[in-house]
């Protein structure tokens, strides 16, 4: 218990918990094996020996929501069990807007190691035999990053069955932590030569450093694949969360206009709908609503400032 307390952080799961749960129909396409999609099959990857999968997308395109969906959906573990029965899942969500520990490699290491040791008594026993000095650790300051990394990789290697790690938001890592150091850790976790029973799914924006390090692995570009999901989200919003006066306006055209302007960015669509909702509450007629939609800035940053 003392060792676990030395790894724990009260905000460890803050980012994952604050991500909205996806609509019931959203993202189910990722498990559809009947349709040929223009990306590398995620289900094939789950059940294969390939070590790494990259989910990339623009800011606000829904990467974190998709990652949370994948971690919680039973189809993920079902396909993983086709690879290695009894597979375990661990996850971490890096958050640039959170505390220092929430956006650091140190926080990532602590979070994953805590999850492993909490539910694997035999791994805890082996760690204590190999590093008896950690029995003296009482708080986070007792851990050095190199030691955390060594113990984590050792603990992962001790799993008798398969392990799949999900790490969201590589691009949200603190600038003080090099993205290349983070990529090096990702590669160590997924290295087939060292850990044949390990694989990792990561998400990030398509920034140069991550494209350089991850481009050769199976991947999907989220903003290119979410048109239908955005239509479902927006239609559901119109039906359940607001009272737009759309008399004289075709709902399908209204939804398609938002989808087109959003360019695959869920956050843009969400902010636009909330902005239009305020206009509707003020009693503006439908033509004013459409004019407002036409004038909304396409850039996410500018829209955020306006709303």
């Amino acid at each position: 218990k003392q060792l676990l307390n030395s790894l724990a952080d009260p905000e460890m799961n803050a980012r994952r918990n604050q991500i909205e749960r996806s609509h019931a129909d959203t993202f189910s396409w990722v498990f559809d094996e009947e349709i040929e999609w223009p990306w590398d099959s995620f289900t094939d990857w789950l059940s294969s020996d390939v070590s790494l999968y990259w989910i990339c997308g623009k800011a606000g395109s829904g990467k974190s929501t998709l990652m949370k969906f994948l971690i919680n959906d039973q189809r993920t573990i079902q396909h993983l069990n086709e690879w290695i029965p009894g597979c375990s899942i661990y996850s971490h969500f890096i958050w640039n807007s959170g505390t220092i520990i929430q956006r650091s490699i140190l926080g990532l290491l602590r979070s994953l190691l805590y999850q492993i040791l909490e539910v694997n008594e035999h791994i805890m026993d082996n760690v204590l035999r190999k590093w008896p000095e950690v029995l003296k650790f009482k708080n986070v300051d007792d851990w050095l990053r190199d030691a955390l990394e060594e113990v984590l990789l050792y603990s992962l290697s001790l799993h008798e069955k398969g392990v799949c790690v999900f790490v969201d938001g590589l691009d949200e890592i603190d600038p003080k932590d090099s993205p290349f150091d983070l990529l090096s850790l990702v590669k160590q976790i997924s290295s087939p030569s060292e850990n044949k029973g390990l694989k990792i799914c990561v998400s990030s924006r398509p920034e140069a450093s991550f494209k350089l390090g991850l481009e050769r692995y199976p991947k999907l570009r989220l903003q290119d694949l979410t048109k239908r999901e955005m239509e479902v989200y927006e239609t559901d919003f119109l039906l359940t969360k607001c009272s737009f006066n759309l008399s004289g306006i075709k709902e399908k055209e209204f939804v398609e206009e938002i989808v087109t302007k959003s360019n695959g960015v869920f956050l843009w669509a969400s902010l636009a709908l909330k902005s239009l909702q305020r206009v509707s509450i003020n009693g503006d007629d439908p033509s004013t609503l459409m004019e407002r939609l036409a004038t909304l800035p396409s850039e996410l940053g500018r829209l955020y400032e306006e709303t």
Side-chain angles (χ1 to χ4, degrees), residues 31 42-43 46-47 69-90 162-164 166:
F31 293 111
F42 184 71
T43 54
L46 287 173
S47 57
F69 169 81
L70 294 174
I71 292 165
N72 293 323
D73 196 284
Q74 284 300 308
R75 286 168 291 187
T76 298
I77 197 66
Q78 289 170 7
H79 285 287
L80 282 172
N81 284 336
E82 294 175 12
W83 169 52
I84 298 178
C87 196
S88 298
I89 292 177
Y90 305 112
V163 176
C164 184
F166 288 81

Side-chain angles (χ1 to χ4, degrees), residues 76-271:
T76 298
I77 197 66
Q78 289 170 7
H79 285 287
L80 282 172
N81 284 336
E82 294 175 12
W83 169 52
I84 298 178
C87 196
S88 298
I89 292 177
Y90 305 112
S91 64
H92 183 73
F93 289 69
I94 304 171
W95 191 18
N96 187 258
S97 298
T99 63
I100 292 176
I101 206 66
Q102 289 171 321
R103 58 178 185 264
S104 68
I105 294 177
L106 187 66
L108 166 62
L109 294 168
R110 280 172 45 190
S111 171
L112 293 179
L113 184 56
Y114 180 94
Q115 293 172 60
I116 294 168
L117 297 182
E118 184 184 32
V119 296
N120 293 280
E121 187 175 338
H122 75 284
I123 295 179
M124 172 77 84
D125 291 341
N126 277 277
V127 166
L128 293 177
R129 278 195 293 269
K130 189 173 179 66
W131 293 282
E133 64 273 17
V134 302
L135 278 171
K136 300 177 183 179
F137 290 3
K138 296 181 178 179
N139 55 64
V140 296
D141 295 328
D142 292 325
W143 286 97
L144 297 176
R145 191 173 115 178
D146 289 348
L148 272 170
E149 186 171 320
E150 185 178 8
V151 177
L152 172 64
L153 294 174
Y154 175 73
S155 298
L156 286 169
S157 71
L158 289 177
H159 276 76
E160 298 173 356
K161 299 177 180 178
V163 176
C164 184
V165 177
F166 288 81
V167 180
D168 177 61
L170 299 186
D171 55 286
E172 302 225 9
I173 202 71
D174 193 289
K176 295 179 182 178
D177 282 339
S178 164
F180 296 103
D181 286 347
L182 182 56
L183 283 170
S184 175
L185 175 61
V186 166
K187 298 290 181 61
Q188 287 187 74
I189 291 175
S190 64
S191 173
S193 62
E194 297 176 12
N195 302 305
K196 294 183 179 179
L198 292 177
K199 60 173 58 190
I200 184 167
C201 175
V202 297
S203 77
S204 77
R205 301 178 194 181
E207 296 178 353
S209 56
F210 299 114
K211 288 177 71 174
L212 180 65
L214 302 171
E215 188 72 33
R216 66 185 180 91
Y217 294 97
K219 59 188 173 297
L220 63 80
R221 277 178 27 116
L222 191 54
Q223 69 268 19
D224 295 340
L225 311 169
T226 53
K227 182 177 184 293
R228 179 182 174 278
E229 283 62 44
M230 294 187 75
E231 290 174 348
V232 170
Y233 167 77
E234 288 152 23
T235 302
D236 181 67
F237 185 95
L238 294 176
L239 290 173
T240 64
K241 297 183 180 179
C242 74
S243 55
F244 285 163
N245 177 11
L246 295 178
S247 57
I249 299 176
K250 292 183 179 179
E251 181 181 301
K252 183 178 180 180
E253 292 179 1
F254 180 77
V255 169
E256 287 180 350
E257 180 66 17
I258 296 177
V259 171
T260 299
K261 290 203 68 170
S262 69
N263 196 24
V265 177
F266 264 98
L267 183 55
W268 190 97
S270 177
L271 291 172

